[in-house]
Amino acid sequence: MWLKVLGFGDKVKEWWTSYGVSGTPSFHLSKKLKWLKGDIIRWNNERGEGARELDESEKERLGEVKREIVELAIAQETSWRQKSRALWLKEGDLNTKFFHRVAVANRRRNFIESLVVDGVRIEGEEEVKGAIVGFYENLYKEEVSWRLTLGGIEFKHIGEGDSEWLERAFEEEEVHEAVSSCAGDKAPRP
């Protein structure tokens, strides 16, 4: 912040050369740094006193901007925490370097570089995507276009009881149990 103020570098040089210290080089440096710190603090306070007072609309806008910055920082931190999948960490940890490393490691580990389909090696992002989509599109298709019928009655692949159980309405306890068994930022298991 200070380095962007016009003439600050010259002011520091002026202060630094004005200090008269004798002794060992390390003592000399230590004393000059201590005095320089004091001069910078005084200079910063003087600049603050000379600034004008904000009016009500500017104060309100300043408050809004500060709130937005806090919300964005929390959103960014939460995003990186979720990407890192580090369950042992709590909200509010500002160790984003850790989150970045874990998220990048997860991305690398989950990346499919190549795939072997019917003895043929498939490489390239788009080709691998196409092979995966094709596999799942064909996974549940029936190879046979006809089914055995007896007097117009079609045979089902699963029993009547299983069919009814699959189509039944969910019970509130079942839904509550499934949702509460999840971690706070995870989806329920099947």
Side-chain angles (χ1 to χ4, degrees), residues 55-73:
D55 65 19
E56 288 304 314
S57 64
E58 290 173 327
K59 286 180 183 178
E60 188 176 312
R61 179 66 184 138
L62 180 62
E64 289 173 9
V65 169
K66 285 181 179 180
R67 281 189 295 278
E68 284 180 31
I69 289 171
V70 168
E71 288 173 7
L72 289 172

Side-chain angles (χ1 to χ4, degrees), residues 88-107:
W88 58 272
L89 294 173
K90 299 291 183 197
E91 293 272 356
D93 190 346
L94 298 177
N95 191 357
T96 56
K97 185 175 182 181
F98 168 77
F99 295 137
H100 286 264
R101 285 184 175 171
V102 173
V104 168
N106 287 339
R107 192 175 300 133

Side-chain angles (χ1 to χ4, degrees), residues 23-148:
T24 64
S26 60
F27 178 77
H28 187 82
L29 177 65
S30 172
K31 272 297 189 196
K32 278 191 163 189
L33 286 174
K34 186 175 182 179
W35 289 340
L36 180 64
K37 177 182 175 184
D39 284 339
I40 290 174
I41 290 172
R42 279 189 295 281
W43 174 79
N44 192 39
N45 289 338
E46 289 170 6
R47 288 186 64 236
E49 291 171 4
R52 69 174 179 81
E53 185 71 25
L54 299 177
D55 65 19
E56 288 304 314
S57 64
E58 290 173 327
K59 286 180 183 178
E60 188 176 312
R61 179 66 184 138
L62 180 62
E64 289 173 9
V65 169
K66 285 181 179 180
R67 281 189 295 278
E68 284 180 31
I69 289 171
V70 168
E71 288 173 7
L72 289 172
I74 290 170
Q76 182 182 27
E77 177 187 337
T78 302
S79 171
W80 279 108
R81 185 184 56 77
Q82 287 174 342
K83 288 177 185 175
S84 73
R85 297 189 193 126
L87 298 178
W88 58 272
L89 294 173
K90 299 291 183 197
E91 293 272 356
D93 190 346
L94 298 177
N95 191 357
T96 56
K97 185 175 182 181
F98 168 77
F99 295 137
H100 286 264
R101 285 184 175 171
V102 173
V104 168
N106 287 339
R107 192 175 300 133
R108 284 185 186 142
R109 185 179 62 242
N110 293 334
F111 181 73
I112 300 173
E113 189 174 313
S114 66
L115 208 55
V116 177
V117 178
D118 297 328
V120 177
R121 182 178 208 84
I122 298 174
E123 294 181 346
E125 189 175 342
E126 291 304 315
E127 290 78 12
V128 169
K129 280 183 186 178
I132 292 171
V133 168
F135 171 79
Y136 283 103
E137 283 178 345
N138 295 323
L139 183 62
Y140 297 109
K141 286 186 180 176
E142 289 187 26
E143 295 292 324
V144 181
S145 61
W146 62 274
R147 282 188 194 212
L148 178 65

